[in-house]
């Protein structure tokens, strides 16, 4: 059970117990026991508020269309949903923590982002996806963060254009394809969907699923290669990020290209604070409400000896 669902269940138990205390006459045996249990519930709720989410886990609940209450779910629908959701997770995980993705081909970090169907939680029909045996706890924490953000992205897609536009600024364009397929599967089946990951939730009624699908389907990505000159600000090897300050423009940040080695990234850091020529791949996502700022992939970096430092 995800931390948020656990917290909501604890809050429901506490509310019921407090309601019972309010209407029950004082009893020398029962009242102290109920008060003690209420205190335990408050402590457990407080722990969930301050807990860091480290377990990669998502629970997805479905209603209407392809499910029969809490008794069953159409096998073909379940298989399609699981496949689409895994693709969203793998794409976002690789882009966020392992460098920008190529538009096609095998994704980096597929092993670290692999999920398992570990339970069928009740409350309509639910599917629980997690990693039952975590060996790399850093990667597990990163995957948990990824799954929380995906839940936030689904919630934003179902809310309104402005919220969705703000959310997709933090994701790579390749995430939109499996997200569209995921929502398309829900939409065609006429399903409601509730999703819990960490301390985030998304709840979309059937009509909101349709709106979310149309919103995501309208988003388009455009890639182009550009060259900029400016001051190199450095790389972050662990996250595969970089910063670059083009002449006369604000600092931009992005990811190192997938084929850049650690040794090449370290060599790039020799150019920190110096003038350099950066070859970049720009990816811009356009939605029906406008064009969002691009994300960048650093393809190569070369020194410029004949230009003065931008700081000089």
């Amino acid at each position: 059970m995800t931390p948020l669902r656990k917290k909501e269940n604890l809050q429901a138990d506490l509310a019921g117990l407090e309601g019972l205390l309010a209407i029950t006459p004082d009893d020398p045996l029962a009242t102290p026991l109920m008060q003690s249990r209420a205190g335990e519930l408050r402590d457990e709720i407080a722990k969930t508020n301050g807990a860091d989410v480290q377990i990669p886990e998502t629970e997805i609940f479905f209603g209407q269309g392809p499910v029969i209450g809490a008794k069953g779910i159409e096998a073909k629908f379940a298989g399609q949903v699981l496949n689409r959701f895994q693709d969203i997770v793998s794409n976002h995980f690789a882009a966020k923590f392992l460098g920008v993705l190529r538009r096609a081909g095998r994704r980096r970090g597929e092993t670290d982002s692999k999920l398992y169907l570990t339970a069928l939680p009740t409350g309509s029909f639910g599917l629980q996806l997690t990693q039952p045996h975590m060996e790399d706890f850093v990667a597990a924490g990163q995957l948990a963060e990824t799954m929380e953000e995906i839940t936030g992205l689904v919630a934003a897609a179902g809310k309104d254009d402005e919220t969705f536009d703000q959310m997709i600024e933090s994701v790579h364009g390749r995430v939109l394809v499996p997200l569209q397929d995921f929502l398309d599967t829900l939409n065609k089946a006429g399903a409601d969907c509730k999703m819990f990951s960490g301390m985030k939730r998304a709840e979309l009624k059937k009509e909101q699923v349709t709106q979310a699908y149309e919103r995501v389907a309208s988003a388009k990505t455009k890639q182009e290669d550009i060259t900029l000159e400016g001051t190199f600000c450095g790389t972050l090897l662990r996250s595969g990020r970089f910063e670059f300050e083009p002449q006369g423009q604000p600092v931009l940040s992005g990811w190192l290209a997938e084929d850049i080695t650690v040794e090449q990234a370290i060599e790039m850091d020799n150019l920190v604070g110096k003038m350099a020529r950066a070859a970049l791949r720009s990816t811009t996502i356009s939605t029906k409400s406008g064009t969002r700022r691009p994300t960048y992939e650093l393809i190569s970096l070369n020194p410029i000896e004949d230009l003065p430092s931008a700081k000089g």
Side-chain angles (χ1 to χ4, degrees):
M1 183 180 294
T2 61
L4 180 57
R5 267 236 304 153
K6 180 179 179 181
K7 177 182 176 181
E8 290 179 350
N9 287 346
L10 290 171
Q11 288 173 327
D13 289 345
L14 179 59
L17 188 55
E18 288 177 335
L20 186 61
L21 278 167
I23 63 174
T24 303
D26 284 344
D27 182 280
L29 293 178
T31 300
L33 289 174
M34 288 192 290
Q35 290 173 335
S36 175
R37 178 54 183 156
E40 291 173 358
L41 289 170
R42 293 189 189 95
D43 289 342
E44 291 184 56
I45 292 170
K47 288 179 182 178
T48 63
N49 287 335
D52 291 332
V53 178
Q54 295 295 333
I55 299 176
E57 181 182 42
T58 293
E59 293 174 309
I60 312 176
F61 296 88
F62 304 98
Q64 301 192 65
V67 302
I68 305 173
K71 295 181 179 180
I73 186 170
E74 291 180 9
K76 187 173 182 179
F77 170 81
Q80 290 174 339
V81 162
L82 292 173
N83 186 45
R84 310 303 192 226
F85 185 78
Q86 177 68 77
D87 282 345
I88 302 171
V89 171
S90 296
N91 285 1
H92 188 36
F93 177 79
K96 184 176 178 66
F97 295 106
L98 299 173
V100 163
L101 291 155
R102 294 190 178 96
R103 291 201 60 79
R106 186 172 180 82
R107 293 161 299 210
R108 299 171 63 189
E110 284 191 337
T111 300
D112 289 336
S113 63
K114 184 183 295 184
L115 300 174
Y116 293 81
L117 178 62
T118 53
L120 305 176
T122 57
S124 69
F125 199 95
L127 305 174
Q128 177 180 288
L129 299 167
T130 188
Q131 284 191 341
H133 302 294
M134 296 178 294
E135 297 180 358
D136 185 338
F137 288 97
V138 173
Q142 292 173 338
L143 183 57
E145 181 182 337
T146 297
M147 294 166 77
E148 268 199 315
E149 291 180 352
I150 289 169
T151 299
L153 181 59
V154 172
K159 188 176 181 182
D160 54 48
D161 292 343
E162 182 179 359
T163 304
F164 177 61
D165 285 0
Q166 291 174 350
M167 190 68 187
I168 63 171
E169 287 189 359
S170 62
V171 303
H172 191 268
R174 188 171 171 180
V175 173
L176 294 176
V177 175
L179 176 62
Q180 179 179 331
D181 292 340
F182 175 80
L183 293 169
D184 187 33
T185 301
L186 297 179
N187 187 46
K188 287 179 178 177
D192 294 342
C193 176
K194 285 196 294 186
M195 185 183 298
F196 296 83
S197 297
M199 295 302 292
K200 290 193 176 179
R201 69 181 292 161
E203 185 168 359
L204 279 66
K205 297 297 183 183
K206 183 170 64 173
E207 297 76 14
Q208 291 173 301
V209 168
T210 300
Q211 294 167 4
Y213 167 70
E214 293 173 350
R215 194 166 282 126
V216 175
S218 70
K220 307 298 180 184
T221 61
K222 176 184 178 183
Q223 283 193 335
E224 60 178 334
D225 292 346
I226 59 175
T227 300
L228 297 175
E229 295 177 348
T231 304
F232 188 58
C233 304
T235 65
L236 294 172
L237 293 180
R238 183 163 181 167
S239 63
R241 305 278 300 181
F242 77 93
E243 288 191 347
F244 185 78
E245 184 178 4
Q247 285 186 303
Q249 300 179 40
V251 174
L252 59 84
S253 63
W255 292 271
L256 300 174
E258 187 176 10
D259 55 357
I260 289 180
T261 65
V262 172
E263 291 75 19
Q264 289 173 322
I266 293 173
E267 186 176 345
M268 287 179 177
D269 276 340
N270 293 327
L271 297 177
V272 171
K274 299 178 181 179
M275 292 300 301
R277 182 176 291 110
L280 304 161
R281 178 160 295 124
S282 168
T283 301
T284 303
I285 300 177
S286 300
T287 66
K288 59 183 180 182
S289 61
T291 300
R292 314 315 300 166
R293 77 181 173 208
T295 56
Y296 296 96
E297 171 188 1
L298 180 60
I299 300 171
S300 66
L301 186 74
N302 294 292
I304 301 176
E305 305 293 349
D306 56 342
L307 289 177
S309 170
K311 304 298 182 183

